[in-house]
Amino acid sequence: MIRFTIQEGRLKGQTFESANDVVRLGRAEGNDVVLPDEIVSGEHARIVNSGESIVLVDLRSTNGTVVVRGDERLPVDDSVNRSVALKDGDVLVLGPEDRGVRLGVQLSEDPQDAQIFALRKIADLKPAVVEKDQSRLPALYAAQKRIGAAQDLNEVLVAITEASFDVVPNATHVTIILKDDEDDQKQAVSGYVPVMTRLRGQEAAPAGPIPVTRSVFRKVITERAVVLAADAPTEVGQTESIVGAQIRSTMGVPLWRGEEILGVLQLDNRESKGMFAAADIDVMAVLAHNASLAVANARLLQRLRIAEERLKKENAFLKTREQERRTGSKNQMPEIIGSSNAMRHLIEQLDKVVDTRVTVLIEGETGVGKELVAASVHYRSRRRDKLFVGQNCAAMPENLLESELFGHKKGAFTGAVEEKKGLFEIADGGTLFLDEITETPISLQSKLLRALQEGEIRPVGATQEKKVNVRIVAATNRNLEKEVAEGRFREDLYYRLKVFPLRVPPLRERREDIPLLANHFLTRFASEMGKPIAGFTQQAMELLQAYDFPGNVRELQNEVQRLMIQVDPGAFVTPDLLSPRVRQVEGILDKIRPTKGTLKEMMDQVERWLLIESLRENSNNKTASAKLLGITREGLHKKLRQFGL
């Protein structure tokens, strides 16, 4: 029994008592001791009767916990002690010591001087003696089969209680007490909690709680032994739980795994006087050995199922977030924006290759959206349910890049303190995107070639290859043929990569897509910033279309994001808000703008201006001007004569 007296706090003067093995303290409803003070966390601490001692555990509270013991101060937190064994007369301070809630602690234990009629330690149990009792062997065999066939933890516990009734005919009640199943024993102290009670002949649990015989239970835990007591109200010390239940005979059997006591199996006879016999100890020793293994396995399976479900949810979340980050879309295919002929051709080519195993090489200038196209190859294919993993080959030094791609064994090099999977293995079944493939060192390109040809990888420090099924999509902004000619890229790897090249056109080659892209980014950033925008003025859009955008789509995206910050809510984007580098084409447009007239007259004025500007830029070199304009020298002479130049 533990009693708390509130010495300081909003409930000052009140007392709380509890005989539970686990007592929870905190501000939230549902705690055993609810303390309404704001300085107390929702789930602040808990007190656990571990069988050997009563321990205070801080539950990572915001303001901490201190145990005051005379002149001694014992902080309970991650930095010092995560738990402290309590003593009678201790004072708990929940929060800072100068202004926290203070609780005086009084501990009164059940008598421990119970008369025990039989005690047999785990090390001394001899299950073989059961073989002499032929009458119990069929029941024990059937009980073992029932326990072994159970799947989840609840089924195992039910099977154990039913088996106990079968092999011990005098038992009227069976109670199972288990140790808290903590995921991290280093971070919390576990207590023992009754988890199931069954009465002979009744499938359902009793309506009220069945008290545990603490004196016997603690003897089982501390002595690591089977404990047998008889005529309990007289012999076991008149403890409250025994007198209240009018137990005539009780037996506590440990459930163990190695040195750890997993729990206690308590059998009671509450209907007639009589002693559980030595044969009952022997048969329960055999049953408990099998039951202990079943409980341990069921708990392990339960943890694995929970971990698997958590990993599935995390994986689904990360895949969704990664798809949204790479493609801008959560529930749909990656959105490639563009209606120009160049983009329609790109999408047609992409659709032809998505469901093949062919390696795809994406070529294009910086910022054109090569990663988006790579993601489209994956998410449009049958591999969409697997991982899409990307790696920029220019972002890592050679030694780290090899480990990142192929993984390494523990001790393979300095700093390899544990085994690590590479991206090829992580992306198994899915797609691996290698951006800036031309930045891969020559020494690593041979391993890439083997991975592409044979589907085999060898982690750094390993002696055997691993088979992987990975779709490779590579990208580069360089001329691969030139890289091969200059000896910076392996020719055999070049031919392996360039099976199906996709060229992403620069933005200047598809100016008709600029309005679509600009409005897409405007809508996206308006939603992110919570700022409604009317749109672009016609002149602002004309300036955007006239600009070459050397940074391509990425530069346009950054330009629109900057415009969103500048423009007033509900207003239009006007030319004065554009960047100076975009507005510099404004003067050119004014110069080109023809005077009113027929269409042919206005087109002639524009063409005449372009001829003059071309000759000026090339210092009147007609051959260079003709090349710049994309016409022959004779064609240029003809046009100059036409306009009288």
Side-chain angles (χ1 to χ4, degrees), residues 25-253:
L25 296 83
R27 193 175 69 251
E29 294 294 332
N31 285 291
D32 300 296
V33 179
V34 179
L35 302 166
D37 305 73
E38 292 183 357
I39 205 164
V40 177
S41 297
E43 295 180 353
H44 196 104
R46 68 176 177 178
I47 296 172
V48 179
N49 186 343
S50 65
E52 300 176 356
S53 60
I54 297 178
V55 179
L56 171 71
V57 182
D58 183 84
L59 301 178
R60 301 187 186 279
S61 62
T62 303
N63 297 305
T65 307
V66 178
V67 175
V68 180
R69 185 174 296 160
D71 296 332
E72 191 177 5
R73 303 293 185 270
L74 302 173
V76 189
D77 54 36
D78 287 336
S79 60
V80 185
N81 301 304
R82 188 71 203 280
S83 61
V84 171
L86 295 179
K87 295 183 178 180
D88 189 48
D90 284 347
V91 176
L92 310 185
V93 183
L94 277 57
E97 194 172 347
D98 57 341
R99 52 193 176 90
V101 177
R102 302 174 74 90
L103 298 86
V105 177
Q106 290 179 278
L107 304 178
S108 57
E109 299 185 0
D110 292 335
Q112 295 296 310
D113 56 353
Q115 181 179 354
I116 303 299
F117 281 80
L119 187 150
R120 195 173 299 173
K121 292 183 178 293
I122 292 174
D124 299 330
L125 294 176
K126 298 179 179 179
V129 300
V130 179
E131 297 177 3
K132 300 177 181 179
D133 190 350
Q134 296 294 324
S135 62
R136 297 198 190 222
L137 284 178
L140 181 61
Y141 176 70
Q144 302 264 26
K145 284 183 63 177
R146 185 185 299 119
I147 294 173
Q151 295 293 321
D152 60 30
L153 182 61
N154 189 67
E155 289 180 4
V156 168
L157 298 181
V158 171
I160 291 172
T161 58
E162 292 176 351
S164 299
F165 286 130
D166 290 344
V167 300
V168 182
N170 291 337
T172 60
H173 297 68
V174 176
T175 300
I176 301 177
I177 305 102
L178 292 182
K179 194 175 187 181
D180 277 351
D181 190 20
E182 295 289 346
D183 287 336
D184 189 351
Q185 296 291 344
K186 296 179 181 179
Q187 294 187 1
V189 175
S190 298
Y192 291 89
V193 180
V195 294
M196 182 172 289
T197 296
R198 286 290 185 271
L199 278 64
R200 181 180 290 277
Q202 296 184 17
E203 293 186 2
I210 300 297
V212 177
T213 310
R214 293 181 182 278
S215 52
V216 174
F217 164 75
R218 291 180 182 174
K219 202 75 172 175
V220 173
I221 299 296
T222 55
E223 298 289 341
R224 297 174 54 80
V226 179
V227 176
L228 178 62
D231 200 12
T234 303
E235 305 295 346
V236 186
Q238 300 292 334
T239 66
E240 180 182 352
S241 60
I242 292 176
V243 172
Q246 297 183 348
I247 297 173
R248 301 299 176 183
S249 181
T250 188
M251 176 167 50
V253 183

Side-chain angles (χ1 to χ4, degrees), residues 405-426:
L405 292 177
F406 301 106
H408 63 250
K409 305 294 287 185
K410 182 178 180 181
F413 51 85
T414 303
V417 295
E418 60 183 14
E419 186 172 334
K420 176 186 175 181
K421 286 185 177 182
L423 296 183
F424 270 91
E425 195 171 352
I426 291 172

Side-chain angles (χ1 to χ4, degrees), residues 302-458:
Q302 187 177 56
R303 284 196 295 269
L304 288 174
R305 285 173 176 167
I306 292 172
E308 183 180 18
E309 187 64 27
R310 183 169 63 245
L311 286 174
K312 283 182 179 178
K313 291 179 179 178
E314 289 176 356
N315 190 34
F317 169 75
L318 291 173
K319 283 174 64 178
T320 301
R321 189 175 68 176
E322 181 68 5
Q323 178 177 348
E324 186 177 9
R325 184 187 74 82
R326 293 182 182 274
T327 69
S329 174
K330 183 182 293 186
N331 300 313
Q332 303 172 359
M333 291 293 180
E335 188 177 9
I336 299 179
I337 298 172
S339 60
S340 62
N341 290 334
M343 292 306 295
R344 283 202 297 268
H345 176 71
L346 173 64
I347 294 172
E348 287 173 3
Q349 293 296 100
L350 190 150
D351 288 338
K352 291 177 181 178
V353 78
V354 289
D355 279 325
T356 69
R357 293 195 60 183
V358 170
T359 300
V360 177
L361 177 65
I362 302 172
E363 299 174 305
E365 298 177 4
T366 299
V368 294
K370 296 188 292 294
E371 185 174 356
L372 178 62
V373 175
S376 296
V377 172
H378 174 76
Y379 289 112
R380 290 170 183 249
S381 74
R382 289 189 291 266
R383 294 174 179 258
R384 68 178 67 91
D385 294 330
K386 301 296 183 180
L387 286 179
F388 175 71
V389 180
Q391 174 62 46
N392 189 323
C393 298
M396 282 192 168
E398 177 181 347
N399 57 334
L400 292 182
L401 181 59
E402 182 178 3
S403 171
E404 189 72 14
L405 292 177
F406 301 106
H408 63 250
K409 305 294 287 185
K410 182 178 180 181
F413 51 85
T414 303
V417 295
E418 60 183 14
E419 186 172 334
K420 176 186 175 181
K421 286 185 177 182
L423 296 183
F424 270 91
E425 195 171 352
I426 291 172
D428 193 14
T431 303
L432 177 59
F433 172 52
L434 300 176
D435 198 7
E436 305 299 344
I437 188 69
T438 50
E439 301 298 326
T440 308
I442 287 287
S443 59
L444 188 57
Q445 290 176 19
S446 59
K447 294 194 73 171
L448 277 176
L449 181 62
R450 179 171 179 80
L452 289 172
Q453 288 181 335
E454 308 296 335
E456 293 180 346
I457 61 168
R458 180 183 291 184

Side-chain angles (χ1 to χ4, degrees), residues 224 256-261:
R224 297 174 54 80
W256 72 95
R257 181 183 59 186
E259 296 299 314
E260 180 186 8
I261 299 296

